[in-house]
């Protein structure tokens, strides 16, 4: 947590406990009730922003992923599947990594109401993306008397949808405002806080998490007054960049710090931790609920993402296609930017350029026209930037 020295594993056990979660839940409304107020203006100290080299001959790959999106937001709820207890944790839209610790914490907490015999302390997790891995780790850490945790999945890292994610910590593209309930809104806000605090304890090379300066390129001054997604309290050092036009070529820029997560490092670290703690992984596909019912585990967590549409017949769950362009890495780029639908994140495996948001599109092949459009749009941003 900012300003404190903490033991990472000790903090995760306590901060994600029921007591800590309840404390966070009670604190969230008070935090959100506060307004942005007058944001400080960044100092006039001369700054240098290294330009991103947006050139087609630096393009190393194009990736496409399908986000599991529900207009009413993610699903975290418990039900029964015959004699089994079933916990759903899916439908995170464009914020699966961002919200993973928060929604998984809520999902694991739901099991405390189950009347399980002492001999039935084995758990199954369906899915090995970020939600499945996080859920499995929290079962290991927080539920007493666990005899075994097994992840069942068709695909493992590096072949999951989570591996294609940009990895920028911000709870965006999760729901449509007109479709959400008050209950979901409360779930969402709590998940944002819990997940943000959890990622803070993982900052460092081991998990591929780091704080970065982020710049929002805004088209109108009114946008400066709107809180960032999840609430201003989740974005330290929030301020307005003075003389924005001098640096980015636009009139209004908001600056803050948030975390960037490298999926290829992070997911491998989670899988390693899960296996070191005694977890098992079984490569298996579930074409129907009958195969799920035949599992030996008494409690099953559904973390199948978009797979829940067919497996659990959730027709409110749709794919939202996203295409990213990766350029050769540039170690000198030490900032993120967001501008309309454009965003840039400088990861170790390459400069990430996005993005697209195509609802109900199942196509996984890269679109050359989108590649050209993304490159052109970011090249224009670089032209506006001043050296």
């Amino acid at each position: 947590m900012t300003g404190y020295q903490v033991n990472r594993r000790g903090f995760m056990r306590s901060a994600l406990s029921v007591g800590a979660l309840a404390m966070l839940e009670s604190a969230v409304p008070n935090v959100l009730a506060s307004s942005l107020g007058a944001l400080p203006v960044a100092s006039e100290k001369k700054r240098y922003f290294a330009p991103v080299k947006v050139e087609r001959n630096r393009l190393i790959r194009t990736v496409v992923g399908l986000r599991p999106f529900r207009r009413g937001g993610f699903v975290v709820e418990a039900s029964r599947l015959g004699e089994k207890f079933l916990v759903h944790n899916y439908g995170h839209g464009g914020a699966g990594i961002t919200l993973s610790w928060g929604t998984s914490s809520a999902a694991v907490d739901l099991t405390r109401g189950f009347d399980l015999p002492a001999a039935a302390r084995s758990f199954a997790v369906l899915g090995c993306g970020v939600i499945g891995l996080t859920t499995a780790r929290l079962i290991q850490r927080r539920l007493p008397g666990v005899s075994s945790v097994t992840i069942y999945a068709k695909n493992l890292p590096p072949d999951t949808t989570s591996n294609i994610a940009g990895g920028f910590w911000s709870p965006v593209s999760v729901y449509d405002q007109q479709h959400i309930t008050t209950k979901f809104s409360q779930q969402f806000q709590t998940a944002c806080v819990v997940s943000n605090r959890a990622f803070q304890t993982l900052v460092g090379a081991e998990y591929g998490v780091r704080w970065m300066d982020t710049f929002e390129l805004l088209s109108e001054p009114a946008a400066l007054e709107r809180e960032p997604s999840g609430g201003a309290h989740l974005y330290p050092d929030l301020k307005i960049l003075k003389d924005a036009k001098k640096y980015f070529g636009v009139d209004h820029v908001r600056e803050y710090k948030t975390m960037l997560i490298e999926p290829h490092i992070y997911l491998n670290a989670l899988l390693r931790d899960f296996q070191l703690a005694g977890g098992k992984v079984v490569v298996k596909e579930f074409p129907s609920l009958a195969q799920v019912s035949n599992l030996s585990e008494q409690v099953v967590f559904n973390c199948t993402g978009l797979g829940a549409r067919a497996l659990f017949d959730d027709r409110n769950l749709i794919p939202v296609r996203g295409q990213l362009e990766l350029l050769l890495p540039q170690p000198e780029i030490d900032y993120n930017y967001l501008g309309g639908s454009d965003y840039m994140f400088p990861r170790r495996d390459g400069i990430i350029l996005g993005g697209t948001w195509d609802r109900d599109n199942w196509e996984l092949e890269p679109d050359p026209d989108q590649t050209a459009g993304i490159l052109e749009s970011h090249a224009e941003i670089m032209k506006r930037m001043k050296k």
Side-chain angles (χ1 to χ4, degrees):
M1 198 173 293
T2 303
Y4 292 87
Q5 295 281 336
V6 295
N7 175 279
R8 177 169 62 236
R9 288 180 171 81
F11 178 83
M12 290 296 291
R13 283 193 295 269
S14 60
L16 297 178
S17 67
V18 177
L21 181 58
M23 180 178 67
L24 283 168
E25 286 176 334
S26 64
V28 168
N30 293 330
V31 173
L32 295 176
S34 63
S35 64
L36 277 172
L39 289 178
V41 177
S43 68
E44 295 187 50
K45 181 180 177 181
K46 187 175 181 180
R47 306 177 66 167
Y48 171 72
F49 294 98
V52 178
K53 299 174 184 177
V54 185
E55 301 163 10
R56 182 171 282 275
N57 65 0
R58 295 182 62 83
L59 182 65
I60 54 177
R61 66 184 182 275
T62 298
V63 297
V64 176
L66 304 181
R67 308 173 181 98
F69 180 76
R70 301 179 79 257
R71 291 175 177 85
F74 55 74
V75 175
V76 176
E77 62 185 27
S79 62
R80 296 298 294 261
L81 180 63
E83 297 299 313
K84 296 186 186 300
F85 293 98
L86 178 65
V87 182
H88 294 290
N89 183 14
Y90 70 89
H92 297 74
I97 291 177
T98 294
L99 293 173
S100 55
W101 290 107
T103 63
S104 298
S105 178
V108 170
D109 272 352
L110 290 175
T111 66
R112 298 180 184 274
F114 295 168
D115 184 18
L116 290 176
R121 303 300 294 179
S122 60
F123 297 80
V125 176
L126 309 184
C128 199
V130 68
I131 301 299
L133 285 168
T134 307
T135 299
R137 287 296 291 131
L138 287 178
I139 294 169
Q140 291 175 323
R141 286 172 169 166
R142 291 172 47 190
L143 295 185
V146 172
S147 60
S148 69
V149 185
T150 302
I151 292 176
Y152 297 92
K154 176 184 177 182
N155 297 310
L156 309 179
D159 299 317
T160 71
T161 299
S162 299
N163 284 94
I164 299 173
F168 176 75
W169 197 97
S170 186
V172 298
S173 307
V174 181
Y175 56 83
D176 287 342
Q177 182 66 44
Q178 65 271 28
H179 289 278
I180 64 172
T181 64
T182 300
K183 178 183 177 182
F184 172 79
S185 183
Q186 293 170 345
Q187 279 186 314
F188 172 73
Q189 297 296 347
T190 301
C192 289
V193 173
V194 173
S195 202
N196 185 273
R197 298 299 183 265
F199 272 108
Q200 289 184 34
T201 69
L202 300 176
V203 169
E206 181 182 2
Y207 290 93
V209 182
R210 54 186 164 143
W211 286 102
M212 292 203 69
D213 291 332
T214 300
F215 299 88
E216 280 190 290
L217 317 183
L218 305 172
S219 58
E220 55 184 24
L224 295 171
E225 303 301 320
R226 292 196 290 267
E227 283 198 313
S229 182
H233 58 292
L234 300 177
Y235 302 86
D237 204 21
L238 180 61
K239 55 197 172 188
I240 297 169
L241 181 64
K242 188 172 183 177
D243 296 328
K245 202 170 189 68
K246 178 172 67 175
Y247 294 108
F248 289 97
V250 296
D251 292 326
H252 311 287
V253 173
R254 184 163 59 183
E255 176 183 357
Y256 50 79
K257 287 182 170 60
T258 191
M259 289 168 280
L260 186 64
I261 300 108
E262 308 260 356
H264 61 293
I265 299 173
Y266 181 66
L267 294 169
N268 286 339
L270 286 186
L271 182 57
R272 174 208 64 200
D273 290 352
F274 171 70
Q275 293 176 315
L276 287 176
K280 297 181 294 182
V281 177
V282 175
V283 177
K284 183 179 178 64
E285 188 173 3
F286 294 90
S288 72
L289 285 180
Q291 283 75 23
V292 178
S293 298
N294 289 334
L295 291 173
S296 61
E297 291 84 1
Q298 184 72 13
V299 182
V300 178
F301 286 82
N302 167 33
C303 304
T304 56
L306 193 55
R309 177 182 169 90
L311 187 58
F312 292 94
D313 196 31
D314 185 348
R315 296 298 150 177
N316 291 317
L317 184 65
I318 64 170
V320 175
R321 183 184 180 278
Q323 180 165 314
L324 299 176
E325 309 301 327
L326 277 78
L327 304 178
L328 284 169
Q330 286 185 245
E332 71 274 18
I333 305 297
D334 58 357
Y335 61 94
N336 307 304
Y337 68 71
L338 316 168
S341 61
D342 300 315
Y343 49 84
M344 183 282 295
F345 313 139
R347 296 193 330 214
R348 290 174 177 82
D349 61 331
I351 298 290
I352 309 298
L353 300 182
T356 62
W357 179 261
D358 302 327
R359 297 194 185 208
D360 269 325
N361 186 335
W362 293 86
E363 180 57 61
L364 287 171
E365 286 299 313
D367 182 336
D369 290 336
Q370 287 189 339
T371 296
I374 291 171
L375 292 176
E376 288 171 10
S377 184
H378 286 274
E380 284 301 314
I381 293 174
M382 288 301 107
K383 287 179 183 177
R384 295 198 302 264
M385 284 183 62
K386 305 298 182 183
K387 303 294 179 66

